[in-house]
Amino acid sequence: MPDPRLPVALIVLVAAGVLSIRIFREYERGVVFTLGRYSRVAGPGLVLLIPFIQQVVRVDLRTIVLEVPTQDVISRDNVSVKVSAVVYFRVLDAKRAVLEVMDYLNATSQLAQTTLRSVLGKHQLDDMLSAREQMNADIQRAIAARTGSWGIEISGVELKQVDLTESMVRAIARQAEAERERRAKVIHAEGELQASAQLAEAAARLAEAPQAILLRYLETLTVIGADKNTTVVFPLPMDVLGPLVQSWKGAPSRDSGPRVGE
């Protein structure tokens, strides 16, 4: 007669075998604990455990994309902005990620939020808008300094969005407009300076040849006379009028002759 306890023992053995088998993917590792004490890091592949004596914690080694919620930040120049970011990190040491911190995902998220506020608060608004790469590098270094002891590597930080209030947007627009006007005035002044230098050089050359002034004047009159409705006042040069004036002064007057009856 077969022993009735045999099926029960067989079921227990099968259950124990199922509980003792763990399969880890290539990007996974298992931190094994024996009676609550750290034993080893297992995987990838097939891992055998002692049922009810050993437990295992799975750790994903792939890069994790963590979105940092929008944070209210007050910049160094007392401007309130809302900033969101994205943090890229991965686990390098599965043992420390499990033993050194309770929940490394939540811990990294909370650390990224506080670091984002503290680092950006040390910079001005112009740096947040124009020096994004420098801001990303500063935040990455600050987070990596804390997560290194957890066996976590911060591979990158990117500021996702910087939101400003409507009044601040208008103030920035006015500032940009004033800056453009300032540049336009400076460029205009530089152009006037260069033009004056060229005019001074041209006047010096024309002074060496007075006839050139007349030729230049005639050329200008040619351009003006292209319009038929233009009235041009043409002054005669003194070297032409001089002899005529002298001859007119030397000529006898009509009234200078002898009068009748004298």
Side-chain angles (χ1 to χ4, degrees):
M1 183 177 181
D3 189 353
R5 294 174 296 180
L6 183 61
V8 176
L10 183 60
I11 293 174
V12 171
L13 290 176
V14 172
V18 172
L19 293 176
S20 64
I21 296 175
R22 296 289 189 277
I23 297 177
F24 293 92
R25 298 181 178 90
E26 185 66 31
Y27 55 84
E28 291 180 331
R29 297 293 184 273
V31 181
V32 181
F33 294 88
T34 302
L35 296 177
R37 296 181 63 88
Y38 168 76
S39 176
R40 71 184 190 277
V41 176
L46 180 65
V47 177
L48 297 178
L49 303 175
I50 302 175
F52 308 109
I53 295 179
Q54 289 183 328
Q55 294 82 31
V56 65
V57 178
R58 290 178 180 268
V59 179
D60 196 325
L61 302 183
R62 292 176 296 180
T63 298
I64 300 174
V65 181
L66 177 64
E67 183 175 358
V68 180
T70 302
Q71 302 295 312
D72 292 327
V73 179
I74 299 178
S75 63
R76 188 176 179 180
D77 49 354
N78 296 324
V79 178
S80 178
V81 295
K82 295 182 180 295
V83 183
S84 59
V86 178
V87 179
Y88 302 89
F89 70 96
R90 65 190 185 95
V91 177
L92 291 181
D93 190 341
K95 173 184 176 182
R96 288 192 293 173
V98 174
L99 298 181
E100 300 296 334
V101 62
M102 180 177 179
D103 184 355
Y104 67 89
L105 287 175
N106 184 47
T108 304
S109 175
Q110 296 298 323
L111 178 62
Q113 296 177 32
T114 56
T115 305
L116 182 67
R117 292 193 297 267
S118 61
V119 172
L120 294 182
K122 299 177 182 178
H123 295 81
Q124 297 184 359
L125 178 61
D126 293 340
D127 297 334
M128 299 182 195
L129 298 177
S130 59
R132 289 287 188 93
E133 295 182 359
Q134 182 64 33
M135 298 296 100
N136 296 337
D138 293 343
I139 298 172
Q140 180 179 351
R141 285 193 297 268
I143 299 177
R146 297 288 301 276
T147 59
S149 60
W150 303 343
I152 296 175
E153 178 190 38
I154 305 298
S155 57
V157 176
E158 295 289 340
L159 291 179
K160 188 176 180 181
Q161 190 172 359
V162 178
D163 294 330
L164 303 173
T165 60
E166 294 184 1
S167 60
M168 183 54 59
V169 172
R170 290 193 297 268
I172 293 176
R174 290 194 299 268
Q175 180 183 2
E177 184 178 358
E179 178 65 20
R180 289 193 297 269
E181 292 180 356
R182 183 189 68 84
R183 292 180 181 178
K185 292 180 180 179
V186 171
I187 294 173
H188 180 71
E190 291 178 352
E192 291 292 337
L193 179 60
Q194 295 176 4
S196 63
Q198 295 294 329
L199 288 174
E201 183 180 355
R205 292 190 178 184
L206 290 174
E208 297 176 357
Q211 296 81 4
I213 300 177
L214 179 59
L215 294 176
R216 180 58 180 165
Y217 181 72
L218 293 175
E219 182 182 358
T220 304
L221 290 178
T222 302
V223 176
I224 296 176
D227 189 357
K228 297 181 180 180
N229 297 326
T230 302
T231 300
V232 179
V233 178
F234 182 74
L236 292 175
M238 292 302 299
D239 54 353
V240 176
L241 294 177
L244 296 177
V245 173
Q246 293 295 331
S247 62
W248 178 76
K249 289 182 178 180
S253 177
R254 295 181 180 180
D255 297 335
S256 61
R259 297 180 180 179
V260 179
E262 290 185 355

